[in-house]
Amino acid sequence: MPNHRAAKITINLDALEHNFQQVKKYAAGSKIMPVIKANAYGHGLIKVAQCLSDADGFAVAQISEAICLRENNISQPITVFQGFLNHQQLQQTIQYGLTPAISQIWQIDLLEKNSGDELIDVWLKINTGMGRLGVQLNEVSSCYQRLEKNKLIKKIGLMMHFANADEPEHLSNKKQIEAFLTLVEKYKTETSVSNSAAIISQLYTQQNWLRPGIMLYGASPLLNKTAQQLQLKPVMGLRAELIAINYLKEGQSVGYGDQWVCPQDMPVGIVNIGYGDGYPRHADAAPLMVNGQRCVLVGRVSMDSIAVDLRHIDAKCGDSVECWGENVSVDAVAASAGTIVYELLCHIGKN
Ligand SMILES: *Cc1c(COP(=O)(O)O)cnc(C)c1O
């Protein structure tokens, strides 16, 4: 599909590499598998994997993403969070040497029906409180035994995921850790626990594999810290162009639903990006930068355009507008839209 949209995405690979080095500072001997699901959070699956070539491994959600990495000569271990969903995907898991996370008993049934002599590693994913993918605590022992007996399997690791890592003091974190530690002591095998928020708040430090996602892309995973405070650099830049300047009178309204009314005679700029491009429709008074000057979005976001308050701004048509990136924090734009950075990044960078 040709891209007809005027909005331009730039990816700063130096910033990505810088953020990866930041993760390493927390690693204390753990290996790192950058999480590059959802087209590397919209940044480009292959580009990101190639840039992070000295990562110990990678993680994706679905097998198609893992196969795409292999077809582009990415040779590190690749964890697939959803594992295989049927016999054919199990065959591909083996063929491409992938590392599935096992979270359902029927996946173990499928493994036992398979004959073949290539060996794979697996993660046994455990529900310690996230309640999403993971075998239940009372199923772990029988699942582990079955996996241990399976000749196809070389190594079984234990994996869990926090539900409230963005609030380090949340009580559920402690409960999840306690449940997991019991299993770690029993099985004494490889472990993987922490996403970005848990890495930075060092919720759980004794593990073999860290799984950072959002921090690699330069956004803050914590509710009370900015990316800048965490020394993370934004990787994605999103730019569009100022295509109109209207000099409106006091009392005139801007955009659908008359949501914004000029408080005085003033210039209002129109920028050629909207929710059709992936800009969040619910953004309310989001920050922007026009020709290097900070300004604010006014009125509702349209499909192909947004409006900006140009009072006290030196601007002309054709000026470049930063919607987020180096100067306009994507965290602030997400907050103005009542959503999370993850959604903004994935949405704008769908492949
Ligand atoms: C997406 C995901 C991660 C990465 O989370 P971030 O908050 O982006 O660091 C880690 N582990 C699992 C299981 C995930 O689904």
Side-chain angles (χ1 to χ4, degrees):
M1 273 279 286
N3 179 8
H4 299 291
R5 313 298 302 183
K8 289 279 174 288
I9 296 174
T10 53
I11 301 297
N12 180 344
L13 293 177
D14 291 337
L16 180 65
E17 178 58 35
H18 165 89
N19 298 334
F20 185 54
Q21 296 305 326
Q22 291 300 116
V23 179
K24 282 187 183 171
K25 288 188 185 164
Y26 297 96
S30 303
K31 293 179 186 168
I32 300 170
M33 55 168 121
V35 178
I36 54 176
K37 61 195 181 191
N39 195 29
Y41 294 42
H43 293 67
L45 177 69
I46 300 305
K47 199 188 322 198
V48 168
Q50 285 172 343
C51 173
L52 301 177
S53 58
D54 58 341
D56 305 293
F58 291 104
V60 293
Q62 291 160 9
I63 192 161
S64 56
E65 302 169 297
I67 292 173
C68 179
L69 288 169
R70 285 284 184 260
E71 284 172 347
N72 283 275
N73 302 318
I74 302 297
S75 58
Q76 287 99 323
I78 302 173
T79 290
V80 183
F81 290 146
Q82 295 176 5
F84 44 84
L85 306 182
N86 51 47
H87 177 73
Q88 188 211 351
Q89 291 193 358
L90 173 56
Q91 292 305 313
Q92 290 174 319
T93 299
I94 298 166
Q95 178 191 347
Y96 289 98
L98 307 176
T99 308
I102 308 285
S103 59
Q104 290 282 296
I105 311 272
W106 56 259
Q107 290 177 309
I108 304 181
D109 296 339
L110 269 179
L111 273 167
E112 288 173 351
K113 281 194 205 114
N114 189 79
S115 55
D117 45 21
E118 300 280 336
L119 294 175
I120 57 169
D121 295 335
V122 301
W123 292 106
L124 182 57
K125 194 158 186 216
I126 296 151
N127 175 23
T128 58
M130 177 67 183
R132 195 173 61 179
L133 290 180
V135 300
Q136 310 314 316
L137 289 172
N138 63 0
E139 298 169 336
V140 174
S141 151
S142 68
C143 288
Y144 199 93
Q145 276 173 19
R146 286 176 69 185
L147 292 173
E148 250 183 336
K149 279 195 203 122
N150 195 308
K151 293 201 167 46
L152 195 65
I153 294 169
K154 215 167 20 175
K155 215 164 52 182
I156 309 161
L158 297 178
M159 178 184 284
M160 65 154 262
H161 192 51
F162 285 113
N164 294 284
D166 55 346
E167 291 181 65
E169 306 304 325
H170 200 293
L171 223 73
S172 90
N173 293 323
K174 231 176 115 195
K175 286 192 187 149
Q176 287 193 258
I177 291 169
E178 276 167 17
F180 193 71
L181 277 177
T182 312
L183 300 171
V184 172
E185 277 158 28
K186 181 164 173 196
Y187 295 107
K188 299 187 169 52
T189 182
E190 282 202 8
T191 51
S192 177
V193 173
S194 294
N195 62 354
S196 300
I199 291 169
I200 290 174
S201 33
Q202 300 187 284
L203 273 179
Y204 187 100
T205 47
Q206 302 288 324
Q207 67 194 297
N208 300 90
W209 287 89
L210 304 175
R211 306 191 305 270
I214 197 74
M215 70 183 292
L216 287 170
Y217 307 105
S220 171
L222 297 177
L223 297 175
N224 59 356
K225 286 252 168 63
T226 65
Q228 208 171 10
Q229 286 169 333
L230 297 170
Q231 294 174 324
L232 299 171
K233 293 186 182 169
V235 176
M236 184 190 288
L238 179 65
R239 287 185 165 277
E241 197 177 309
L242 190 67
I243 57 167
I245 300 177
N246 302 315
Y247 295 89
L248 301 183
K249 296 285 180 215
E250 177 183 343
Q252 280 192 288
S253 60
V254 175
Y256 287 116
D258 299 338
Q259 285 282 301
W260 203 78
V261 178
C262 296
Q264 62 183 115
D265 294 359
M266 60 180 278
V268 171
I270 304 298
V271 182
N272 60 357
I273 189 170
Y275 65 79
D277 305 277
Y279 192 88
R281 196 181 86 86
H282 295 286
D284 181 18
L288 295 147
M289 202 169 233
V290 174
N291 186 23
Q293 304 150 89
R294 294 197 171 273
C295 50
V296 176
L297 180 144
V298 295
R300 274 196 203 150
V301 172
S302 292
M303 187 184 292
D304 317 284
S305 66
I306 53 178
V308 289
D309 180 345
L310 289 182
R311 280 177 291 179
H312 318 297
I313 303 288
D314 172 21
K316 59 182 183 317
C317 287
D319 279 352
S320 175
V321 179
E322 181 180 320
C323 300
W324 62 67
E326 226 172 294
N327 307 295
V328 179
S329 123
V330 66
D331 294 282
V333 179
S336 85
T339 185
I340 53 175
V341 173
Y342 299 76
E343 188 186 15
L344 263 51
L345 297 179
C346 293
H347 206 98
I348 205 100
K350 266 189 207 146
N351 57 355

